Structures are given as structure tokens and as C-alpha cells.
Amino acid sequence: MNFHIAIDGPVAAGKGTISRLVAERLGYLYVDTGAMYRMTALLAINAGVDPKDEDTVAKLVENSKMEMRTPSENEKDGRLSTIFLDGEDVSWKIRTEKVSLGASSVAQLPKVRKILVKKQQEIAKGQSVIMEGRDITYRVLPDADLKIFLTGSDVVRTKRRLTQLQAKGEDVTFEEVLRDLIKRDKQDMTRSTDPLKIVDDAIVIDTSDLSIQQVVEIIVSKAKIMIEKKNNA
Ligand code: DC
């Protein structure tokens, strides 16, 4: 029996960290779909292509090889996944602010989304996964067993993102991070193709006043009840 957990939510709601921990607890594969949009942005940047040039960007994605795996022992440097683009480990290269903004831009291209959604559905086929992104609960895995919408206040999310960026040595201020976060949220929620939204059958969890462990517990306990029900059905 396969069990699919779909998680959507805005920037820095804790989707990655929480999904990785839930995946470890349940022994499922963790899939970071944002990494695929980030790799797409990196492809465009490396090729000197305008991230709004839909046909050229879509071609770059089609001809690329995107792979993800659980970090091995010697890769445990804080990353949540090890990400390969055409055989190169880009786990950290895709985490800069430049790539973040580029990802939000290429994510608006319908042709790019179509290719990436298909890749994501293929990954989920035949195995239990916890997949996170912006359109997982209604586009990528509309029949997911458990749907979660993770959110948090702008200030809390900005603080989290700032801590992550400063830990990597990026020289950014609270105001800059807040501005980028609001800009990306707006782009993600207002784009015409598959914007970020809350579906009726999703459980909404506001992470502002909860610890990571508390959120993980909520999701794992919900999942366990549902997995048992599914197994006995
Ligand atoms: O989750 P993230 O910050 O790594 O995502 C990078 C960008 O990709 C973000 O601007 C939203 C976009 N994205 C998307 O449109 N659909 C997804 N399923 C995942 C991410």
C-alpha cells in the first residue's frame, strides 16, 4: 500500500524541514518540488537565458536530468536533500536569493510547470512519498491521502529565512528578506497557472507559535491513524 502526503504553503513556512523529519519518521521518500523550479532557474541563469522566455526555458528543462536523494553520511552539512542537475551536485547553488527569485519567475511559465508536474507525478508513482511545494495538494497529487497547508506570519517566516541565509554567510538585512518574501508570496499566489492556494480538504497548520517538533508530531500522528485505516480497508 502506498500513502501520499501532500504539503503546500508559502515561503519559509517550514515545509522542507518538517517534511524531511516526517519522511524519516515514516520511512517515506521526501520530495522537494521547489528544488526543481530552482534547478530550472539555475539552468536559465547558466545559459544566459531570460527566465521569461518560455519556449527556451522549457527546452532547457526537457533536456536536463534532475535527481534527488536522501543525503548520504558524508553529505550531511545541513541540506535536506542532495540535488543533482545533469550530474552536478547543486544542493547549495540553488539556495541563493538570485536563484530564489529566478525560480519564482520560471514557475509562472505554464510549459515549464507541465513538464515538472509530470516528473513529480512519476516520482510518486508506486511509492509512499511526502511531497511539498505550492500545487501538490490539487495539481500534482490531487488524490493524496493527507493534505496539509503549512503557513506562518510574515515576521516569523522572515526571521527563519534570515537565519538560514546568514548561516550561509549571505549579507542580507531583515527588510531585504521581508521584501523578497512578500514579492515571492505575491508571485506564487497571483500567477495565472496553478497559484498557491488552500484546498477545502487540506488541514491548515499555522507554524508561527509551534516548534518544528510539535508540527512534526501533529502530521505524523494524523498520518499514522490514516495509514492504519487504509491498511485495514
Ligand atoms: O519552495 P521553494 O522556495 O524552494 O520554491 C521555489 C519557487 O518555486 C517558489 O517561488 C515557488 C515555486 N514553486 C512552485 O511554483 N510550485 C511548486 N510545486 C514548488 C515551488
Side-chain angles (χ1 to χ4, degrees), residues 33-34 37-38 103-104 107 113 133-136 184 188 191:
T33 63
Y37 291 90
R38 288 169 179 273
S104 198
R113 300 200 69 84
R134 305 291 193 288
D135 57 348
I136 313 304
R184 285 174 59 203
D188 292 341
R191 66 166 173 250

Side-chain angles (χ1 to χ4, degrees), residues 137-138 147 149 197-204:
T137 54
Y138 68 93
K147 299 181 182 183
F149 190 92
K197 63 181 176 193
I198 306 177
V199 292
D200 286 344
D201 52 347
I203 298 166
V204 180

Side-chain angles (χ1 to χ4, degrees), residues 8-12 15 32-38 94-95 99-101 103-108 113 120 132-136 140 161 184-185 187-188 191 193-194:
D8 285 328
V11 175
K15 301 187 298 292
D32 169 7
T33 63
M36 297 167 90
Y37 291 90
R38 288 169 179 273
I94 58 167
R95 302 289 163 197
V99 172
S100 295
L101 288 173
S104 198
S105 186
V106 297
Q108 298 185 52
R113 300 200 69 84
Q120 291 151 13
E132 52 101 349
R134 305 291 193 288
D135 57 348
I136 313 304
V140 182
R161 185 91 189 108
R184 285 174 59 203
D185 279 353
Q187 275 182 0
D188 292 341
R191 66 166 173 250
T193 312
D194 292 351

Side-chain angles (χ1 to χ4, degrees), residues 67-165:
E67 295 161 293
M68 292 181 208
R69 64 160 193 236
T70 305
S72 62
E73 269 316 310
N74 61 349
E75 290 167 352
K76 287 198 173 146
D77 54 5
R79 66 182 67 184
L80 298 173
S81 261
T82 293
I83 314 280
F84 290 99
L85 177 59
D86 296 323
E88 183 194 349
D89 182 344
V90 294
S91 310
W92 289 114
K93 266 193 193 165
I94 58 167
R95 302 289 163 197
T96 63
E97 276 306 87
K98 188 176 176 193
V99 172
S100 295
L101 288 173
S104 198
S105 186
V106 297
Q108 298 185 52
L109 308 174
K111 285 185 188 167
V112 167
R113 300 200 69 84
K114 199 168 164 209
I115 301 166
L116 293 182
V117 166
K118 200 161 156 241
K119 281 183 196 270
Q120 291 151 13
Q121 288 172 333
E122 271 159 19
I123 294 172
K125 216 177 267 170
Q127 62 181 331
S128 293
V129 295
I130 174 158
M131 191 177 277
E132 52 101 349
R134 305 291 193 288
D135 57 348
I136 313 304
T137 54
Y138 68 93
R139 175 67 62 216
V140 182
L141 302 175
D143 299 323
D145 299 283
L146 177 57
K147 299 181 182 183
I148 310 275
F149 190 92
L150 275 191
T151 187
S153 73
D154 288 357
V155 169
V156 167
R157 292 187 295 119
T158 300
K159 279 187 189 157
R160 285 184 192 148
R161 185 91 189 108
L162 186 66
T163 309
Q164 283 170 1
L165 291 170

